[in-house]
Amino acid sequence: SVMIIYAIHALKGKVNDQVNIEKNVAIPVAVQTPHLRKPEQIQRHFHKMGMQLYIKELLQANQVLCISSFLEHEGKTFNAVELATEMTRQGKRILLLDMQGLMPKNSLGFDCRTLSDIPSFHQTGQIVATVNEWKLQFDLIIILNESIQQASMGLLLMKLADANLFVMDSRRTPARLIAELGLLQEEYQLPRIQILLNRAGYQPNVL
C-alpha cells in the first residue's frame, strides 16, 4: 500500500494532461501522442498528426521544424523519427538533423545527418548558412534537438527554426518545467513554439 501511495503522489508531480499544461503556461498544446504499441496505430496516428501540424502551419514546405524537450526519455526521438517516416511515406524529401548522434545514417528511409556534417559547426554563422542551404535541397528539415537542460546548441537551433515542437511526457516531465518553458520562450523569443504532449491519456497500472 505504501508503494501505491508513493506512485500516486509521483504522478501528481508530472505534467499529466493538456489542461494542467495550459493553465500554467500560455504556450498551446498543438498535438498529443497517446501511448502507442502496434505499428498500425503508430502509422495512423502520425498520418493524422502530419495533417494537424500542416493545418496549424507548423509543417510547411522548405521549413525547419525543431523538436525539443527538457530531459531525455520524454518521447522526443520517437515522435521525430515517426513524423519523418510519415512525411517520407507521403513522398516528401526529409532531412533529420540528429543533434543527439544516435540515429543510424540513411537506414530509416530518409536522410539523417549529424552536427559533424556541418563544416566548422562551432561557428554560429556556419550552422545557419548550412541549414539554409539544406532548406533548398529538402522539403522539410526536422531537427531532433539535444535535451535543453544539457544542451550546448539547443536554444540556438530552436531560435533558427521556423517552428518548434516542445515535447512533454504526461508521466515523466516534472510539472515545474511547464512554467520554465514559458520563461525560456519569453527570454529568447523562440519562434512559433507549441507543445507536443507525449503519452497523452496514459494511465499506468500502479497495482
Side-chain angles (χ1 to χ4, degrees), residues 97-99 113-119 121 127 152-153 157:
L97 179 55
D98 176 21
M99 294 300 296
R113 301 182 187 179
T114 65
L115 197 61
S116 63
D117 293 305
I118 300 177
F121 63 81
I127 294 174
S152 59
M153 295 187 180
L157 293 169

Side-chain angles (χ1 to χ4, degrees), residues 14 25 44 83 87 92 95 109 123 142 147 151 171 180 204:
K14 307 306 180 184
V25 72
R44 186 164 56 247
L83 183 59
M87 292 299 99
K92 308 294 185 183
L95 170 62
Q123 299 178 10
I142 297 176
S147 296
R171 293 296 176 243
E180 188 170 330

Side-chain angles (χ1 to χ4, degrees), residues 94-96 103-113 117 138:
I94 303 300
L95 170 62
L96 181 73
M103 295 292 102
K105 285 192 174 185
N106 305 323
S107 63
L108 296 170
F110 48 82
D111 202 330
C112 185
R113 301 182 187 179
D117 293 305
F138 295 92

